[in-house]
Every structure is written in C-alpha cells, then in structure tokens.
Amino acid sequence: MAEPTSDFAIDASGVARRFGSRWILRGVTLQVRSGETVGLLGANGSGKSTLLRIFGTLLKPSAGTAAIFGHDVVRAADAVRERIGFLSHEPGLYEDLTARENLLFAANMLGIGSADVDAVLARVELTYAANERVRGFSAGMERRLSVARLLLSRPRLLLLDEPYSNLDAAGISMMSQLISESVRAGGAALVVLHELAPAAGILSRTVTIQDGRC
C-alpha cells in the first residue's frame, strides 16, 4: 500500500468528543502545516487537552476525522504514533529508576537502542542528574526528563500539553529552543498554552477553542 502523502501535519475536520451526555468538543476543524508551531488557547475545560489526546491516538473522536501526515488517527493509529511526540501533564516516569534508566527503558520499548540516551539528557541539561533516582526530582526536573524521553523517538509532530509548566527561566528558554529545532528540521508542533508569553517568540500563529470549536 502506498504511503499517504499530505501537506498537513494535522488535518482535522469536524472533530467532536463527548463524555456521557456532555459534549467537550463540538466540531473542531484545524489544519497545521509542516514548519508551523501553533499555540492552542482556551479557557479551562474548553477541550484543549481532549483535542490533543485525540490527535495523539489516546482518545477516539465521537465524530469527525483527523489525520497526522495523512494517517487517520483511528484507522492508522500505529502509524500516527510513529510520527508524534506527546507530552502530557503527567510525567509518567518510574520514580525508583534513575534518569538514565528511565530513558534506557523507553528506548528499549521503542526499539531504537540506547545510543541517544546521554545526548538527550544533555539537551535537556540533566547530565548532572543522570544517575539520580527520579523520586528526588523537582517538578521542573521531571518535566525536562519527560521531554528527553519524547526526543528519543525524533518525532515529526510535537503534541505538547502546557510544556512550560514547572520550568524556570532557563527551562523555558530550553523548551522553546527544542521546539524550534524540531520544527525547523521539517516537523510541526501544536502547543497547548495556559499563558501565551513563554512561547510568544516561536509561534507561527494561535488558535482558540471556544464553545468546543476553533
């Protein structure tokens, strides 16, 4: 079967999602091209994280369609997962393992070997804590390690849910640089933001979810 081709990193039409009788998303249509960094804004409970989880294949839409680089998020979920890096609110780290051990485990699960582990630790400025157990990490250090794990797979599309949370000024600068580097390499990024300011210098544009639509 021929590889799908698309000009869009994200191509979503009429995406809706409900939980029980409550509709969180009511028909989101959104396109993000390669080379774009798009900020996703909206009030608390507006559906930003829900939309990101649909694009990340963690939730199925109740209606509508969405494709990542031409791959449908429902019918071709495995192909989508190979192309994305998803950063959620929860770090999802193993507290009793060290930073390096967490990344070695992730690399093994991804089937990509361990060659890049020390490199990504350096990129998020955690080399000094490589052999420390995550249990003793601050929230900001956990966020950095979560980003390092994401970078292991060299994703084409970054789906980032409030990536600047718990980061100090140096961490915010590092995050923006990593996002920009990924996008300049031919990728794209959709970034859920609580505040616009931390990412203002790297955004191509912003979209806002209101009343379940954007």
Side-chain angles (χ1 to χ4, degrees):
M1 183 179 296
E3 175 78 5
T5 59
S6 176
D7 293 332
F8 298 107
I10 299 173
D11 190 0
S13 178
V15 171
R17 173 71 194 197
R18 70 178 180 182
F19 295 96
S21 61
R22 183 187 177 198
W23 288 91
I24 303 299
L25 300 174
R26 298 176 178 271
V28 170
T29 295
L30 174 66
Q31 293 177 323
V32 176
R33 292 183 178 275
S34 294
E36 281 194 305
T37 301
V38 176
L40 185 59
L41 308 175
N44 289 339
S46 62
K48 303 184 300 295
S49 295
T50 297
L51 183 62
L52 216 66
R53 288 170 66 83
I54 288 173
F55 293 157
T57 75
L58 299 175
L59 288 174
K60 292 183 179 180
S62 302
T65 61
I68 306 300
F69 294 108
H71 297 273
D72 187 271
V73 297
V74 176
R75 297 192 303 272
D78 287 344
V80 170
R81 294 183 193 113
E82 292 174 358
R83 290 160 173 80
I84 64 171
F86 187 93
L87 183 68
S88 68
H89 288 290
E90 299 299 325
L93 301 169
Y94 295 96
E95 292 187 343
D96 290 329
L97 299 182
T98 67
R100 179 179 281 112
E101 286 169 344
N102 265 275
L103 295 185
L104 287 171
F105 179 79
N108 183 62
M109 293 298 292
L110 291 167
I112 58 176
S114 59
D116 290 339
V117 165
D118 288 333
V120 296
L121 279 170
R123 287 188 71 189
V124 299
E125 300 173 2
L126 278 180
T127 299
Y128 72 95
N131 296 314
E132 295 180 16
R133 294 188 188 278
V134 171
R135 182 177 299 280
F137 279 20
S138 67
M141 292 170 70
E142 288 186 351
R143 176 62 71 172
R144 287 172 181 255
L145 185 57
S146 295
V147 173
R149 183 182 56 194
L150 177 153
L151 294 174
L152 280 172
S153 62
R154 300 180 182 179
R156 292 180 63 191
L157 173 65
L158 298 177
L159 300 170
L160 308 176
D161 200 345
E162 297 189 15
Y164 295 97
S165 64
N166 299 317
L167 293 178
D168 58 14
I172 288 171
S173 177
M174 175 210 71
M175 180 66 70
S176 289
Q177 182 178 353
L178 292 175
I179 295 170
S180 295
E181 288 175 357
S182 180
V183 172
R184 284 198 302 269
L190 182 63
V191 186
V192 169
L193 296 168
H194 176 66
E195 296 179 355
L196 182 60
I202 65 169
L203 296 178
S204 307
R205 58 189 171 95
T206 62
V207 296
T208 301
I209 294 183
Q210 188 173 7
D211 298 324
R213 298 179 175 87
C214 66

